[in-house]
Amino acid sequence: MRTQMRSQMRTYRFVTADVFTDMQFGGNPLAVLLDARGLTGEEMLAVAREFNYSETTFVLPPERGGDARVRIFTPGGEVPFAGHPTVGTAHVLFATGALPATAGEQRVVLEEAIGDVPVLVRFGSAAPGGDPSRAAPGAAAGLGGIEPAFAQLSVAALPTERDAPDAGALADALSLAPDDLLGGDWAPRVASCGLPFTLVAVRGADAVRRARVRGDAWERAFVGHGRGVSEGAMVFALDAAAGGDVHARVFVPDLSVPEDPATGSACAALGGYLARRTPRLDGTLRWTVAQGLEMGRPSRLEVEADRAGGATTAVRVGGRSVIVSDGTLRLRGAPAGGGR
């Protein structure tokens, strides 16, 4: 019996990283299983719930000519695209040597359900315009690779917008007063670069700090507008007091993420939203988003949007990450089926 149990034990190496931060225990934690072959979708969801991070990623061999295939799970289910898992997975793949570092700057493609997501990775220097003294160290001690200083995704889907739930219902769902929310062209909208979020612009950082999800009111706001309207809500203010151009919080209770400390997919949607409201017709726009402050996990996300002829032609989200742990996941029993 003991021999049979050993023969059915499956082991998977994992690495955890804090994403969109330059220090451990800031940013958004991520677990990455480096070779998820043999895991079913149901098992991936169970593993994601075991880690209980906002997301866990599962790396598989590429199928479309990219560098790796990546499946992304929250504790509530699989999502087609997410920012911090994309940036963090690229960081981990280079830090462990799963992808070799061959130049100071490299582009890789991660195959996700939304499509092929390009990621630019830099080694040994900070992000453009950043402080080089705060760059991540080059060597990832004991992991077998080189730890990047910066990684930046380019969205696979250009930004879109559509109507949001009623502003009064959203204010109630977020424990805010109706006059905390901006109106006119800055009224709430559902925006997406592959994963839709309801963007709620408020009058200042104080309203961002006061936001709280009210479960009953949240259900009324979103169910009344149609389930699936968005994955969650980003409450934000254009306020530099928090250390960025934008102070934001993101709530995703329907995916078992009460609050997310750093949300690249929401920031990508925000980049398209802000670019559309900027008079500049051509060139690259840049914003820094401060998130996670109220959770004690300060995060910094660098957002860029390219404009040409008044249209947004590209959105990028980047930041730093740091390795926190690595280990072995041990699953008992043979897989129920293929790992697709």
Side-chain angles (χ1 to χ4, degrees):
M1 178 68 71
R2 190 170 299 172
T3 301
Q4 183 180 6
M5 286 292 291
R6 279 200 299 267
S7 67
Q8 292 182 336
M9 185 76 71
R10 291 173 290 150
T11 61
Y12 296 88
R13 184 186 179 193
F14 70 85
V15 173
T16 72
D18 290 335
V19 184
F20 293 125
T21 181
D22 59 1
M23 58 183 171
Q24 289 184 332
F25 313 124
N28 201 346
L30 173 73
V32 180
L33 269 70
L34 290 162
D35 184 352
R37 285 176 292 182
L39 286 175
T40 67
E42 291 80 6
E43 288 175 323
M44 291 179 185
L45 178 57
V47 170
R49 288 173 172 168
E50 182 72 13
F51 278 107
N52 202 33
Y53 293 159
S54 297
E55 280 103 354
T56 297
T57 62
F58 300 84
V59 180
L60 296 160
E63 296 181 343
R64 301 191 295 262
D67 294 278
R69 179 181 170 220
V70 179
R71 295 183 67 176
I72 304 169
F73 283 78
T74 77
E78 188 170 10
V79 294
F81 163 71
H84 109 270
T86 300
V87 167
T89 298
H91 184 99
V92 167
L93 290 175
F94 280 103
T96 58
L99 292 178
T102 59
E105 180 175 295
Q106 291 178 230
R107 294 182 185 274
V108 296
V109 174
L110 301 183
E111 299 174 359
E112 300 181 6
I114 190 63
D116 294 345
V117 181
V119 184
L120 172 67
V121 178
R122 295 189 178 97
F123 300 91
S125 63
D131 179 0
S133 68
R134 295 174 67 84
L143 292 182
I146 301 297
E147 191 167 3
F150 182 79
Q152 179 190 64
L153 69 85
S154 297
V155 298
L158 290 177
T160 61
E161 285 188 27
R162 61 179 187 268
D163 291 342
D166 175 75
L170 282 173
D172 193 27
L174 294 165
S175 306
L176 297 174
D179 61 2
D180 284 322
L181 277 59
L182 298 182
D185 199 33
W186 294 88
R189 296 284 284 170
V190 175
S192 176
C193 281
L195 200 63
F197 286 85
T198 300
L199 303 185
V200 183
V202 295
R203 298 188 181 279
D206 177 66
V208 175
R209 287 190 289 267
R210 286 190 282 109
R212 301 286 188 278
V213 170
R214 288 184 52 202
D216 55 342
W218 181 278
E219 288 291 323
R220 287 194 297 271
F222 285 93
V223 173
H225 194 78
R227 174 64 69 185
V229 65
S230 74
E231 297 296 352
M234 169 182 268
V235 181
F236 72 95
L238 300 177
D239 191 320
D245 303 303
V246 180
H247 182 182
R249 296 175 70 186
V250 174
F251 306 97
V252 199
D254 291 340
L255 287 178
S256 303
V257 182
E259 182 171 357
D260 200 33
T263 317
S265 51
C267 285
L270 177 67
Y273 172 96
L274 294 176
R276 186 172 180 177
R277 288 156 180 78
T278 300
R280 185 172 176 178
L281 297 179
D282 296 281
T284 298
L285 305 169
R286 294 181 175 88
W287 305 269
T288 300
V289 179
Q291 192 183 330
L293 303 176
E294 290 76 13
M295 302 177 68
R297 298 195 68 100
S299 306
R300 181 182 178 92
L301 300 90
E302 307 289 343
V303 181
E304 297 180 349
D306 292 341
R307 299 276 283 172
T312 301
T313 58
V315 177
R316 296 175 292 277
V317 180
R320 302 187 184 106
S321 303
V322 291
I323 299 296
V324 177
S325 70
D326 69 302
T328 302
L329 180 71
R330 302 177 186 277
L331 298 185
R332 291 181 171 84
R340 300 185 63 83

